Amino acid sequence: MLDSIPRTARGAAVAALALCSLLALAPPARGASYAPDTVVLKLSSRSHRVAAQERDAGVVATLSVIPKLGVRVVRVTGDPAAVAARLSSRPGVRWAEPNWTMHADAAPGGGDGAGAVPNDPLFGRLDGMAAISAAAGWAAAGLGRFPASGGVPVGIVDTGIDAGHEDLQGKLAACATATDGRVTEGSCADDNGHGTHVAGTIGAVADNGVGVAGVAFSSPLIVCKALSADGSGTLADVAGCLRWAHDRGAKVISMSLGGPGSRALADAVGYAWAGGARSGSVLMAAAGNEGSPTVEFPAGYADVVSVGATGPGDAPASFSEFNADVEVSAPGVDVLSTKAGGGYVSLSGTSMATPHAAGVAAIAWDAHPRAAAATIRERLDGATDDLGAPGRDPIFGFGRVNLLKAVEPQE
């Protein structure tokens, strides 16, 4: 299920997962689904006895182990939820859970400042760029000549990318697809379109006389396909992609998706934020599109920036989640970006807000290359236009992101 739909389909109802808690082990809301034949688990010890207990509980094969997380994806017989419950009670098993389904976060419907303006013919229709003071921010960051490379790498965990799109050619630095948590490099073709739209908002080539421009147009893209043609995928694939994108060098990782809380996903988030063998990544995720106070994951984890959506005139988008976890907001209504197969399309959703915020974080890191992930996140939070109640509020978080403020010196 998509979290963004074209304007022409804005009146259609979009089902979304209802989530009930910030805790990774919180039970999912009614209607949450999981893969029919796999379970995700983590062991505290490994022995012949544990293996025998796994078989007795319904495990028939290990499909993959997510590197560096110690998380296993196993094939099971019977109801995965029942198998996970049995496994959780066995000695040597730290935890086990169903392989919950994650969904792309799209929704129904659909500042300003002097500075460098690219010659892309559709740039004037990118209202979100004006709202976040993109042109002025680019000029302040020394990007007024629109270099095609040199920016910090940005990871995208989504439905893949149309790397041959006229506005995305040359942008792909690394490419992979996850299956049962196992990440295979070399292919990430987008058979849905959601990931290509996200990629355009982040990194579409600027000043090439074609189409649109991305917020972080000089950043190479590290893309991992975790969601399939219908816009859904498993938590194991999202966790595997997140680990891989970080290890491939993504300084910022954009996740326009959501679903239930999960121990495996929490481990992947903690690994990417803490940095593993390298410095940590700034993690961004869609807040969700139910227009309610429910919390979606991975946005709900403390190590992830939860991004809400704004519309024209900086009004809150009607579909955007509102809760204490929302950290920043960004334009997410009628966002024009690249379309898989060629051309351009307008979509709405917190899926569209998230890449705006991710692009701002990437440019902030370009301007402050020695900063750590935590410093860039603090800068992002402090470089907003406060639109709601003074300070942080459940609708806008700290406020709508502002690229110019993010690159300028802060007191």
Side-chain angles (χ1 to χ4, degrees):
M1 172 175 49
L2 297 180
D3 31 349
S4 48
I5 343 181
R7 283 184 294 183
T8 55
R10 195 173 309 155
V14 176
L17 288 175
L19 305 174
C20 55
S21 173
L22 287 172
L23 297 177
L25 288 180
R30 182 179 178 181
S33 61
Y34 45 79
D37 57 358
T38 56
V39 163
V40 183
L41 60 89
K42 192 168 188 175
L43 301 178
S44 55
S45 64
R46 183 68 176 161
S47 66
H48 293 300
R49 179 169 180 168
V50 172
Q53 290 176 338
E54 288 181 3
R55 289 193 296 272
D56 183 58
V59 175
V60 296
T62 295
L63 298 177
S64 69
V65 178
I66 301 178
K68 302 179 183 178
L69 302 184
V71 173
R72 297 172 60 213
V73 182
V74 297
R75 190 174 301 284
V76 301
T77 59
D79 178 19
V83 175
R86 290 196 294 270
L87 285 169
S88 296
S89 66
R90 304 296 169 90
V93 178
R94 183 174 300 176
W95 52 259
E97 60 190 359
N99 198 0
W100 295 108
T101 302
M102 311 294 286
H103 297 280
D105 267 328
D112 191 91
V117 177
N119 65 8
D120 306 87
L122 298 179
F123 184 77
R125 292 175 54 186
L126 305 182
D127 295 337
M129 294 293 190
I132 67 173
S133 300
W138 293 331
L143 298 173
R145 294 184 181 275
F146 305 104
S149 61
V152 301
V154 176
I156 300 174
V157 178
D158 212 291
T159 65
I161 185 175
D162 177 2
H165 190 285
E166 59 182 358
D167 237 352
L168 294 171
Q169 291 180 10
K171 297 298 303 182
L172 193 58
C175 176
T177 295
T179 304
D180 295 323
R182 181 185 293 106
V183 177
T184 304
E185 296 191 11
S187 175
C188 55
D190 188 0
D191 51 7
N192 175 283
H194 188 269
T196 297
H197 195 277
V198 167
T201 297
I202 294 174
V205 180
D207 208 45
N208 61 345
V210 172
V212 297
V215 178
F217 51 79
S218 62
S219 285
L221 302 179
I222 295 173
V223 177
C224 191
K225 179 179 172 64
L227 306 181
S228 60
D230 66 355
S232 68
T234 65
L235 72 89
D237 289 342
V238 173
C241 276
L242 178 55
R243 190 279 311 169
W244 175 85
H246 168 75
D247 282 352
R248 289 289 290 177
K251 303 294 286 183
V252 179
I253 301 177
S254 180
M255 297 174 284
S256 289
L257 48 81
S262 148
R263 288 300 265 289
L265 191 55
D267 279 4
V269 162
Y271 173 80
W273 171 249
R278 59 172 71 236
S279 61
S281 303
V282 176
L283 310 177
M284 325 284 291
N289 302 313
E290 290 187 340
S292 75
T294 58
V295 176
E296 217 172 73
F297 296 88
Y301 294 119
D303 293 338
V304 179
V305 177
S306 177
V307 185
T310 59
D314 276 334
S318 61
F319 53 77
S320 187
E321 301 292 67
F322 53 91
N323 52 60
D325 187 61
V326 173
E327 189 162 338
V328 297
S329 53
V333 175
D334 288 344
V335 175
L336 184 67
S337 188
T338 44
K339 179 182 179 182
Y344 303 85
V345 64
S346 291
L347 301 178
S348 295
T350 50
S351 274
M352 284 62 254
T354 303
H356 277 96
V360 171
I363 296 295
W365 220 326
D366 287 339
H368 304 279
R370 295 184 179 181
T375 304
I376 294 299
R377 183 175 181 178
E378 291 172 1
R379 174 170 286 275
L380 183 73
D381 292 344
T384 57
D385 291 329
D386 194 353
L387 301 177
R392 188 171 184 173
D393 67 79
I395 298 175
F396 300 103
F398 287 107
R400 194 250 307 115
V401 294
N402 184 304
L403 180 55
L404 176 60
K405 291 181 180 180
V407 302
E408 289 182 326
Q410 295 180 348
E411 296 181 359

